[in-house]
């Protein structure tokens, strides 16, 4: 049971202090990032195989990222190295409580130059779930690559998961962002959005996010937990109180936990929505107690120990 993703892989430089801007920070922690990459590493730490198809620069950062993911157990044979652009960088500053602001160096980044020919479609075969986000839709070339991979996955009756992942500063304007983020909904069976993304995409109208293929729609509420919807169920699970220092990657850890649960419960997943929500809330919360995304992704044993400590049943 495994997941494959096509999407961005980059370096996050996370400010060492909270409550400062990127320009005011005295230094930064280098951390691997990119929502699909974060999620694929989180999956391996939760005990499931994962594959990432991506493009990075043929530079020290790009090779560092591929080596790091490989060391985490992610299949990186589908990662390509572009000689035409460098690996994308994101500088992240943290407000008190771990909320973030971003400054991106991606003009263009290598991930934006991926073409359909760069996507090793054969590596999608044999996986159970295909996961994608909206950032790959920003540039025309990478968008065409992602859509080709989506078509390939749909033709093989795979389950598709989607995270719109709003990063408005990366888009040319809000209207373009909204257009393509909404377009991504058309293909997915499972969609994870935040309250902020619901407001941005529909003005708060959750019903407007449902599409013909949608089977599970998840809304995350930050410290307030999450709510899972099917066509005939609504399950809310409150969040867990932790000492948050950096929310980078929390949503990616959350969605990885949902994907892990879908693999584990199989066709019976609609009967386990409360367990799925609590497990994902725990992974998301634990991701916020350390700086960086991938460095903070928890191991399965740590998640289960945390849930037991909260009085939850992990059987």
């Amino acid at each position: 049971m495994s997941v494959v993703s096509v999407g961005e892989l980059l370096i996050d430089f996370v400010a060492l202090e909270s409550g400062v801007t990127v320009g005011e920070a005295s230094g930064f922690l280098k951390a691997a990032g990119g929502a699909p990459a974060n999620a694929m590493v989180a999956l391996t730490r939760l005990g499931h195989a994962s594959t990432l198809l991506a493009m990075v620069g043929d530079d020290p950062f790009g090779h560092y990222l591929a080596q790091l993911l490989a060391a985490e157990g992610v299949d990186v044979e589908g990662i390509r190295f572009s000689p035409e652009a460098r690996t994308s960088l994101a500088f992240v500053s943290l407000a008190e409580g771990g909320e973030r602001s971003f400054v991106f160096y991606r003009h263009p980044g290598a991930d934006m130059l991926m073409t359909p020919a760069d996507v090793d479609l054969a590596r999608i075969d044999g996986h159970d779930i295909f996961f994608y986000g909206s950032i790959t839709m920003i540039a025309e070339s990478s968008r065409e690559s992602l859509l080709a991979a989506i078509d390939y996955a749909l033709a093989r009756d795979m389950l598709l998961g989607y995270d719109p992942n709003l990063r408005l500063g990366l888009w040319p304007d809000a209207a373009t962002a909204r257009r393509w983020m909404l377009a991504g909904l058309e293909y997915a069976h499972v969609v994870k959005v935040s309250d902020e993304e619901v407001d941005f995409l529909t003005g708060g109208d959750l019903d407007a996010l449902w599409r013909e293929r949608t089977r599970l729609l998840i809304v995350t509420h930050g410290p307030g937990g999450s709510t899972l919807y099917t066509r005939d169920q609504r399950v809310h699970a409150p969040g867990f109180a932790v000492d948050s220092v950096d929310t980078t990657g929390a949503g990616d850890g959350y969605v990885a936990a949902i994907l892990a649960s879908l693999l584990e419960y199989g066709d019976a997943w609609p009967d386990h929505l409360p367990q799925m929500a609590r497990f994902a809330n725990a992974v998301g919360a634990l991701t916020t107690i350390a700086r960086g995304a991938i460095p903070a992704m928890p191991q399965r044993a740590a998640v289960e120990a945390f849930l037991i400590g909260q009085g939850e049943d992990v059987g």
Side-chain angles (χ1 to χ4, degrees), residues 109-131:
D111 56 298
M112 300 170 67
L113 303 183
M114 177 184 282
T115 70
D118 295 316
V119 181
D120 187 352
L121 293 175
R123 302 204 75 80
I124 296 174
D125 291 331
H127 294 282
D128 303 280
I129 299 175
F130 181 95
F131 174 70

Side-chain angles (χ1 to χ4, degrees), residues 240-256:
F240 295 102
V242 295
D243 294 326
S244 176
V245 298
D246 180 8
T247 60
T248 306
D252 305 325
Y254 181 99
V255 79

Side-chain angles (χ1 to χ4, degrees), residues 149-167:
I150 286 172
D151 287 342
Y152 190 90
L154 287 173
R156 281 147 184 80
D157 295 321
M158 295 173 66
L159 187 73
L160 270 66
Y162 174 51
D163 181 355
N165 196 26
L166 177 61
R167 294 288 180 268

